[in-house]
Amino acid sequence: MNKYITAYYNDEEDLLKGIKQLKSKGIDVADVMTPFPVHGLDKALGFRRSRLTRVAFIGGAIGGLTGFLFQAWVFTKAYPLNFGGKPFFAVPSFIPVTFEMTVLFAAFSMVIAFFIRSNIGPGAKTIIHDERSTDDRFLLVVDIQEDEEVKQVEKALAEAGALGIQFKA
Amino acid sequence: MYVSPIREPLIKGNKDYSQVTKDILAPMAGTPSKYWYMGMTIAGAAALFGAWASFMTVFYGIGTWGTNKTIGWAWDITNFVWWVGIGHAGTFISAILLLFRQKWRTSINRSAEAMTLIAIACAGFFPLIHMGRLLLGFFIFPYPNTRALWVNFNSPLLWDVFAISTYFAVSLVFWYVGLIPDIGTVRDKAKDKIRKAIYGFLSFGWTGSAKHWSRHETISLILAGLAAPLVLSVHTIVSFDFATSVIPGWHTTIFPPYFVSGAIFSGFAMVLTLLIVTRKALHLEDYITVNHVESMNKIIILTGSIVGIAYLTEFFMAWYSGVEYETYAFFNRAFGPYAWAYWIMMTCNVITPQLFWFKKIRTNLVATFIISIFVNIGMWFERFVIVVTSLHRDYLPSSWTMYKPTIVEVGLYVGTLGLFFTLFLLFIRVFPVIAIAEIKSVLKSSGEHQKHADHE
């Protein structure tokens, strides 16, 4: 287990300012726990755009193709049935099922990818640093590589207005 | 930050983040009130009535119903369409209003989505029970079988199977993904160990990490983008059940938009019925304010007017088409033996929602509650009128007949109402009824205290 320091803010704007200050001092913020999505935090922490949208697109494409090709196969190859002389390869009437399959696959693939990528799932064990980070505290985690850093980081955090600074090993 | 000085705050009272958590989690703590038990008793009794009716249907068969050779579809399909329609409001609120960036949705989306899921479950019950042989229900799914036979992909009834099951699955995922952060809050606020363990399991290990939030935001937006056309497709496909047939009064191209707006209309009415009571009973008046009710009433005016225009258009087209059968079907609706049902529908759906043009009425909770009940009744009768009046006098006058429900059919309908309220009452005890994280994210721009602070 690595060593780290946690600290918290009571307001999201102080948090954003604090992160900026820490960054200017060359201190990397490992993680931030907030009770709700804070706007501007992605930018402050330098996150790239999530690629989950691509997963949704690929999932949707697979679903749609599966739905359409399956229906086409059933009605032209597997068991062609004559419905009142209508064409066997009846594209318009395949659309509803194709559409539903697209949506179903896109939604599920994206959500499953989200769970896997974020390492969360039913009964997942994660560390909860502060039980109020899902209530009203904006928690900061800074990783420590060497013991000498501790004092320096603690000082920087205090200067950046962070509260409840704790060193955990 | 610029704050509109004219707009009323969405959340009343001087609240900080921890107060929001406390207020919204309060209804889940302690023992339920005596009103909750009363509601549960009534709803449970209704559900038991439904269980008896289901038993009768399965044991003795469809013969226990009032349907006959001419009127093969009656209350079962009426109830099915009614329940699916009610479900639409939840998805509309959570998906379409999210895409339109309507912040007021944050107070009502959670409970409306829960209502959606319960309503779809109630709806799904009817196609299953009307098969009579429940054990053959799996025949509706395309699966490899020894007869080498597949389902009929040209049939709107099969499209319904795909539409409804996809709709339920995607709504469930959308609702649960939104719920995960709030379950995390419940877990961290839980005092006893068992509660903590259960909510810890359900919270999927949510920590509120910034990266998770960033992804959560992305998938919420994409899920909304997927759910918005999905919800429109579902009632469109339900309307195809009728529109693709050759029965006068059903065979019209106006059905998809007319059904979708009717669905949102009835769904909002049901949301209002539930929330006006819920906000009072759970003391959430600061979160679900009169402004929320007013906004929903405005949507009711819009969708109610679309439904009204659709009724008139149908009539016009019946005359304008010059088709004898079509003309007769509509004349028979308005002046035939089921005219009473038609005029109940017209009064409840076309006239009562127009009262919301008056600000006094649309901001009055009692009036809104009463009108919402009227809309629920009217929309049920709309489906009844469409189904039964179109069928009861078909092309052969010798087979003309009337339809009357039996006690078993009444039981099935009352049973789903009981199931609906039972599950909703359970929901308000088990999960936070308002999206806590979403409320917190709009608190600064729309909270009362925060707004005033900016102007001092």
Side-chain angles (χ1 to χ4, degrees):
Chain A
M1 197 63 222
N2 53 343
K3 297 166 187 173
Y4 55 89
I5 293 179
T6 65
Y8 68 85
Y9 289 92
N10 283 324
D11 192 274
E12 70 268 29
E13 274 154 54
D14 297 342
L15 169 85
L16 288 174
K17 273 182 217 150
I19 291 174
K20 232 180 228 167
Q21 257 191 53
L22 290 173
K23 264 203 158 165
S24 66
K25 286 182 186 159
I27 295 167
D28 266 341
V29 177
D31 206 352
V32 180
M33 319 286 190
T34 59
F36 59 85
V38 175
H39 285 279
L41 195 56
D42 289 21
K43 224 185 213 169
L45 294 174
F47 289 158
R48 278 180 307 164
R49 255 186 75 192
S50 168
R51 285 169 301 178
L52 286 167
T53 48
R54 293 182 212 176
V55 178
F57 179 80
I58 295 165
I62 292 172
L65 277 176
T66 313
F68 186 84
L69 294 176
F70 181 71
Q71 292 176 84
W73 173 76
V74 165
F75 276 175
T76 56
K77 296 268 182 297
Y79 207 129
L81 276 171
N82 191 331
F83 295 103
K86 287 172 199 147
F88 292 116
F89 186 59
V91 178
S93 77
F94 297 163
I95 297 302
V97 172
T98 306
F99 173 75
E100 302 299 333
M101 290 285 281
T102 311
V103 171
L104 186 69
F105 274 60
F108 271 79
S109 59
M110 180 177 61
V111 170
I112 291 168
F114 164 64
F115 289 149
I116 293 172
R117 198 72 184 81
S118 307
N119 264 325
I120 57 173
K125 290 267 173 289
T126 41
I127 309 159
I128 296 149
H129 300 291
D130 184 342
E131 294 204 328
R132 280 176 67 181
S133 68
T134 52
D135 180 8
D136 61 347
R137 277 183 185 170
F138 300 82
L139 201 78
L140 249 168
V141 180
V142 180
D143 278 342
I144 301 292
Q145 309 309 346
E146 289 155 55
D147 289 343
E148 295 88 72
E149 281 181 358
V150 177
K151 282 254 158 60
Q152 184 200 339
V153 174
E154 280 182 341
K155 196 172 152 243
L157 278 167
E159 275 170 14
L163 306 163
I165 301 160
Q166 279 180 356
F167 174 62
K168 285 172 188 167
Chain B
M1 195 198 314
Y2 175 74
V3 181
S4 155
I6 300 157
R7 257 184 213 170
E8 296 244 340
L10 290 177
I11 298 129
K12 293 232 158 82
N14 289 340
K15 309 233 185 257
D16 56 13
Y17 296 133
S18 76
Q19 188 63 39
V20 170
T21 315
K22 223 183 257 167
D23 286 353
I24 297 173
L25 293 188
M28 293 169 64
T31 47
S33 66
K34 67 171 189 272
Y35 296 107
W36 189 87
Y37 282 114
M38 268 163 59
M40 207 59 176
T41 311
I42 298 167
L48 278 180
F49 185 24
W52 169 80
S54 314
F55 172 77
M56 294 296 279
T57 306
V58 175
F59 196 79
Y60 293 104
I62 296 294
T64 51
W65 293 8
T67 45
N68 49 50
K69 253 167 136 182
T70 310
I71 305 157
W73 268 3
W75 271 40
D76 50 346
I77 198 85
T78 303
N79 298 336
F80 164 72
V81 181
W82 188 70
W83 277 121
V84 177
I86 283 172
H88 278 47
T91 322
F92 186 88
I93 289 168
S94 54
I96 296 179
L97 295 185
L98 175 84
L99 297 178
F100 281 115
R101 303 258 176 238
Q102 294 295 309
K103 281 183 185 170
W104 58 272
R105 58 174 272 289
T106 51
S107 294
I108 51 172
N109 63 348
R110 171 68 42 74
S111 43
E113 278 175 57
M115 183 205 72
T116 293
L117 291 170
I118 303 169
I120 307 171
C122 292
F125 169 74
F126 286 102
L128 279 177
I129 197 92
H130 106 302
M131 289 173 193
R133 295 176 185 180
L134 278 178
L135 71 165
L136 300 183
F138 66 94
F139 274 24
I140 57 176
F141 290 105
Y143 65 99
N145 55 68
T146 47
R147 293 156 292 145
L149 190 67
W150 297 100
V151 291
N152 182 3
F153 287 111
N154 288 330
S155 164
L157 297 178
L158 192 272
W159 302 343
D160 246 359
V161 173
F162 276 81
I164 302 289
S165 41
T166 301
Y167 183 41
F168 184 77
V170 173
S171 300
L172 183 68
V173 166
F174 195 12
W175 178 71
Y176 201 81
V177 166
L179 200 51
I180 285 173
D182 289 354
I183 298 178
T185 307
V186 179
R187 170 201 65 203
D188 292 346
K189 286 279 156 201
K191 294 280 186 303
D192 63 292
K193 272 199 174 131
I194 301 167
R195 203 176 164 83
K196 219 177 184 72
I198 293 171
Y199 284 102
F201 182 84
L202 294 175
S203 72
F204 284 22
W206 181 263
T207 55
S209 161
K211 188 70 208 174
H212 295 180
W213 269 125
S214 160
R215 293 191 184 119
H216 191 271
E217 290 262 273
T218 308
I219 68 166
S220 299
L221 192 67
I222 304 292
L223 277 176
L226 289 168
L230 178 66
V231 70
L232 302 181
S233 86
V234 171
H235 231 58
T236 299
I237 290 173
V238 168
S239 81
F240 284 167
D241 291 349
F242 303 100
T244 57
S245 72
V246 286
I247 308 282
W250 288 5
H251 188 62
T252 48
T253 47
I254 200 179
F255 262 31
Y258 156 31
F259 266 52
V260 169
S261 53
I264 293 165
F265 177 55
S266 69
F268 269 79
M270 189 55 109
V271 172
L272 283 168
T273 311
L274 284 177
L275 286 189
I276 287 174
V277 179
T278 307
R279 72 189 278 275
K280 187 98 191 136
L282 304 184
H283 310 293
L284 294 171
E285 287 99 334
D286 285 342
Y287 297 92
I288 304 166
T289 62
V290 174
N291 288 325
H292 290 94
V293 172
E294 194 188 351
S295 302
M296 285 192 266
N297 284 339
K298 285 177 183 166
I299 293 180
I300 287 198
I301 303 179
L302 174 71
T303 48
S305 305
I306 296 174
V307 167
I309 290 201
Y311 293 161
L312 299 179
T313 311
E314 272 190 326
F315 249 86
F316 173 76
M317 289 312 294
W319 166 76
Y320 188 67
S321 68
V323 178
E324 190 184 338
Y325 301 104
E326 189 82 7
T327 315
Y328 179 73
F330 279 91
F331 181 82
N332 183 43
R333 265 185 199 178
F335 307 107
Y338 284 111
W340 57 274
Y342 182 82
W343 292 108
I344 290 176
M345 166 190 105
M346 279 307 235
T347 323
C348 293
N349 288 352
V350 184
I351 298 164
T352 46
Q354 301 303 326
L355 291 172
F356 283 145
W357 286 105
F358 300 102
K359 195 174 170 92
K360 271 234 170 77
I361 295 179
R362 70 170 182 262
T363 52
N364 183 316
L365 295 175
V366 177
T368 304
F369 184 75
I370 293 167
I371 292 175
S372 77
I373 301 274
F374 268 95
V375 172
N376 283 324
I377 294 170
M379 284 308 290
W380 189 87
F381 271 101
E382 180 202 291
R383 280 64 179 254
F384 178 78
V385 165
I386 291 172
V387 174
V388 173
T389 64
S390 297
L391 287 174
H392 88 119
R393 289 188 172 172
D394 59 4
Y395 294 107
L396 267 181
S398 62
S399 51
W400 285 9
T401 180
M402 293 292 284
Y403 162 80
K404 232 170 57 195
T406 63
I407 187 78
V408 174
E409 280 169 295
V410 176
L412 291 173
Y413 178 51
V414 173
T416 50
L417 281 170
L419 181 71
F420 179 78
F421 288 109
T422 308
L423 292 175
F424 193 80
L425 285 168
L426 283 176
F427 159 72
I428 60 174
R429 289 289 303 169
V430 174
F431 292 124
V433 274
I434 292 176
I436 304 172
E438 288 188 52
I439 287 285
K440 285 177 190 163
S441 70
V442 299
L443 194 63
K444 282 234 162 140
S445 56
S446 310
E448 190 171 9
H449 172 62
Q450 285 78 0
K451 271 189 107 117
H452 290 163
D454 279 11
H455 288 282
E456 274 155 16

